[in-house]
Amino acid sequence: MSLHPKESAGLTVKKNEDFSEWYTQAVLKAGLADYAPVKGFIVLPPYGYAIWESIREILDKRFKESGHQNGFLPVLIPESLLSKEEDHFAGFTPEVFWVTKAGDKDIGERLALRPTSETLAYSIFAKWITSYRDLPLKINFWNTALRAEIKATKPFIRTSEFLWQEGHTVHATEEEAEKEVMTILDIYKDLIENYLAVPVVTGFKSDSEKFVGAKYTTSLEGLMSDGRGLQMGTSHHLGQNFSKPFDIKYLGKDTKEHFAWQTSWGVSWRLIGALIMVHGDDKGLVLPPKVAPIQVVIVPIHKDKDAEGVKEKAREIESDLKKAGIRTHMDGRDEYTSGWKFNEWEMKGVPLRINIGLRDIEKGQVEFVRRDTKEKIPCDRPKLVEAASSLLATIQENLLTRAKLFLNENNFRPSTYSEFKSIVEERGGFVVAGWCEKVECEKKIKDETGADIRVLPFDQRGKPAKCIYCGEEAKKAAIFARAY
RNA sequence: GGGGCCGUAGUCUAGCUUGGCAGGAUGCCAGCCUCGGGCGCUGGAGGUCGCUGGUUCGAAUCCGGCCGGCCCCA
């Protein structure tokens, strides 16, 4: 594992004092990302990209197991195609980058750098699908999308180009498409909770927040440490909204022509931003073991004359752990003191550290240091590999437990609108309230408090009786929050 | 959409008000020393002062435009 060029010192702000500055420093100083020369674009050094690779491996496996295949789509979409579905086009057009020239010659029709690929993919799918035998078609694309972010940008959370996957499926029946939407949502939930250790609430987006062009959008919403919500992923039921303009039709067993039913879904590197925000602390990142590029770092502690002996032991440990499939790095650099290394690896969020010096070798032990609790745990050398795996599992579990606790503690149920406002304005968090399903109420609340409907949870137990804004009968329990 | 702050070596920064030799710390390189929480010493290299135009005998400094980073309000 090559290291990012080292920057001086640690974080200069505390997480709970200046969250925004803390986040930026945590990302940059850990070597997860760096700014590119163009506004809103970032560069990923290997340490940052490795986290994305972990996420991609996990999802890719799950997608393939559930019958999806990967494909490739070009980055340019002609305007005529992008504009074929009106709502979709109107929704995306303010943030589209356009290519208008080839060399110094003007191009006849503007070409969009894909903000998302529905239109392009579906114009192709229309050619591929003629019979019910061609269905279902389930394809995923690992690529980037480009959406111009003119004002606020933040590494991983809001960038003008982002790494993501976009899945697109075509089905013969609506039921099958609806099932697909939920299958994907479950895969996302498993990834986010059981690998990234970020608890989420799943449910529907309100009509005004749904994907432009979709029949409905399901979503996974996380809560960040500053009380703001973050959309972690979405899975859309497109109905026949795209199959009609793009003419995706098949001949059924009934020998009649039918429009197909479709879904699309995606998660992006935003997930990396979320796990930084949720788990990080004043010392820097705390990465969940399952996605950490380095799970265990070994820091040998020695005087010059003892260096080779101690490092030799450290290398043995490294080799044992690697054989057991644990991603391990032995930090044998001579130019840094052990204290310096402790701080650096903490900043980079390595979940488990092993200290080994003469003291430990004499006792036949090593010392584990947990990143999440800072706890130091001695361990006999023969039990080391087993203990490391079990500690990694414990850390993984503890991160989720801790995050769940935070989510529960920051879940509020105000009974009046003024109480609602003061929670949103003073503490943040997920605010559960009744909603009459009228757009006016949703909009007024957003205008007056800055909080919007993050999600209408699938779990509607405990739905309040009245709309928090107008007092009429509540049709849904909604989770409101200010969001990224 | 509206308002504000900022940009000087890899990094952080002084200098800008009142124009006149670009300075420090840290990092980097060499050598020595050291290692259980960001060691120490000696020497060295490193700068289009974000870019661009203007004012001036002279611009990091004053003025305009642009690029980039950040914050607040809606």
Side-chain angles (χ1 to χ4, degrees):
Chain A
M1 175 68 52
S2 74
L3 303 171
H4 184 64
K6 37 274 177 192
E7 320 265 309
S8 66
L11 277 58
T12 59
V13 293
K14 292 193 184 306
K15 192 181 184 186
N16 60 10
E17 283 169 6
D18 186 347
F19 188 78
S20 187
E21 173 67 18
W22 170 86
Y23 174 80
T24 306
Q25 285 194 15
V27 170
L28 298 181
K29 294 193 171 186
L32 256 47
D34 204 350
Y35 293 111
V38 182
K39 182 180 174 57
F41 287 77
I42 59 171
V43 173
L44 297 202
Y47 194 65
Y49 193 69
I51 299 176
W52 180 246
E53 288 179 310
S54 293
I55 291 172
R56 195 178 59 192
E57 263 174 47
I58 296 157
L59 278 182
D60 204 59
K61 184 162 176 282
R62 299 295 303 275
F63 291 158
K64 285 175 180 159
E65 283 167 359
S66 50
H68 302 83
Q69 291 176 296
N70 287 327
F72 167 82
L73 287 171
V75 72
L76 296 179
I77 304 178
E79 180 170 13
S80 54
L81 212 50
L82 192 65
S83 59
K84 224 162 179 172
E85 206 287 335
E86 271 174 47
D87 290 344
H88 182 76
F89 186 63
F92 278 106
T93 198
E95 44 194 26
V96 169
F97 286 107
W98 294 103
V99 174
T100 58
K101 291 200 168 207
D104 11 338
K105 279 201 201 145
D106 287 339
I107 293 174
E109 183 184 7
R110 296 196 290 175
L111 304 173
L113 290 170
R114 66 167 159 251
T116 181
S117 302
E118 275 77 5
T119 55
L120 178 57
Y122 303 165
S123 69
I124 308 293
F125 288 179
K127 296 194 282 188
W128 291 353
I129 294 165
T130 51
S131 148
Y132 73 92
R133 296 180 207 276
D134 299 322
L135 299 176
L137 181 67
K138 305 203 283 186
I139 303 194
N140 177 61
F141 303 93
W142 290 100
N143 57 23
T144 66
L146 289 108
R147 298 177 192 172
E149 292 292 348
I150 300 305
K151 288 286 282 192
T153 63
K154 195 179 272 297
F156 295 117
I157 299 297
R158 194 169 286 275
T159 49
S160 288
E161 181 180 22
F162 49 89
L163 276 167
W164 74 341
Q165 57 70 217
E166 46 175 327
H168 297 277
T169 68
V170 189
H171 306 267
T173 65
E174 176 158 33
E175 295 69 37
E176 207 184 284
E178 295 201 311
K179 200 172 155 217
E180 168 76 6
V181 168
M182 294 313 297
T183 299
I184 294 299
L185 201 72
D186 287 345
I187 290 173
Y188 286 162
K189 189 174 162 73
D190 180 54
L191 167 78
I192 295 168
E193 295 195 332
N194 296 325
Y195 291 81
L196 308 183
V198 176
V200 287
V201 176
T202 52
F204 295 101
K205 283 285 185 184
S206 67
D207 274 353
S208 43
E209 298 284 335
K210 75 181 181 188
F211 180 70
V212 279
K215 186 171 175 192
Y216 62 76
T217 288
T218 64
S219 152
L220 308 101
E221 297 288 326
L223 181 63
M224 304 299 106
S225 309
D226 62 344
R228 284 180 181 254
L230 183 72
Q231 178 177 301
M232 310 275 291
T234 44
S235 179
H236 316 293
H237 178 43
L238 302 179
Q240 296 178 315
N241 295 351
F242 286 84
S243 65
K244 286 180 178 167
F246 286 91
D247 218 24
I248 303 179
K249 291 181 294 198
Y250 67 93
L251 274 174
K253 273 186 189 166
D254 58 5
T255 73
K256 292 196 177 93
E257 199 166 59
H258 303 275
F259 283 108
W261 299 85
Q262 291 184 271
T263 81
S264 72
W265 27 274
V267 294
S268 76
W269 67 17
R270 217 171 213 228
L271 295 175
I272 298 175
L275 61 88
I276 296 161
M277 288 188 178
V278 168
H279 304 306
D281 64 18
D282 291 346
K283 299 281 259 172
L285 309 184
V286 179
L287 297 176
K290 285 184 182 174
V291 294
I294 298 174
Q295 295 171 308
V296 177
V297 66
I298 305 166
V299 177
I301 302 164
H302 51 73
K303 299 199 192 305
D304 211 21
K305 62 184 170 65
D306 310 316
E308 254 328 292
V310 176
K311 277 197 213 171
E312 184 53 38
K313 292 282 179 196
R315 277 191 290 265
E316 280 171 29
I317 294 171
E318 182 188 26
S319 155
D320 285 359
L321 290 170
K322 279 186 171 168
K323 271 183 217 150
I326 297 173
R327 296 188 289 273
T328 311
H329 175 71
M330 200 282 278
D331 186 353
R333 293 175 296 175
D334 291 321
E335 62 271 32
Y336 295 107
T337 61
S338 50
W340 200 96
K341 292 176 186 174
F342 297 161
N343 284 287
E344 182 178 46
W345 293 114
E346 278 164 10
M347 198 156 72
K348 290 172 97 73
V350 175
L352 190 59
R353 190 174 80 231
I354 292 176
N355 291 346
I356 176 158
L358 278 185
R359 204 160 86 187
D360 309 283
I361 293 172
E362 279 161 18
K363 283 189 281 186
Q365 290 186 338
V366 298
E367 180 177 69
F368 283 113
V369 186
R370 281 176 63 166
R371 178 63 184 89
D372 58 337
T373 59
K374 302 187 175 67
E375 192 184 352
K376 295 186 171 175
I377 304 156
C379 172
D380 291 336
R381 178 65 179 84
K383 295 182 188 153
L384 181 140
V385 173
E386 198 188 331
S389 324
S390 120
L391 274 172
L392 288 172
T394 307
I395 293 166
Q396 180 78 36
E397 201 178 321
N398 180 48
L399 291 179
L400 180 61
T401 306
R402 224 154 69 169
K404 272 184 178 166
L405 190 67
F406 179 83
L407 183 60
N408 288 337
E409 282 170 351
N410 289 280
N411 203 295
F412 305 105
R413 298 180 60 90
S415 45
T416 64
Y417 184 57
S418 71
E419 200 188 325
F420 177 100
K421 270 174 91 165
S422 71
I423 293 167
V424 169
E425 280 156 20
E426 283 153 36
R427 11 186 349 168
F430 277 170
V431 186
V432 183
W435 177 47
C436 59
E437 283 191 322
K438 286 201 295 274
V439 180
E440 303 91 84
C441 286
E442 184 185 14
K443 189 170 183 315
K444 291 271 193 200
I445 291 171
K446 183 165 186 179
D447 289 347
E448 290 170 21
T449 69
D452 55 19
I453 296 179
R454 300 315 304 158
V455 65
L456 304 166
F458 292 136
D459 183 354
Q460 284 283 319
R461 283 177 301 181
K463 172 176 74 73
K466 295 192 185 321
C467 173
I468 192 76
Y469 193 82
C470 68
E472 285 173 25
E473 188 199 344
K475 301 254 171 57
K476 286 276 162 55
I479 291 182
F480 290 83
R482 285 179 176 168
Y484 280 100

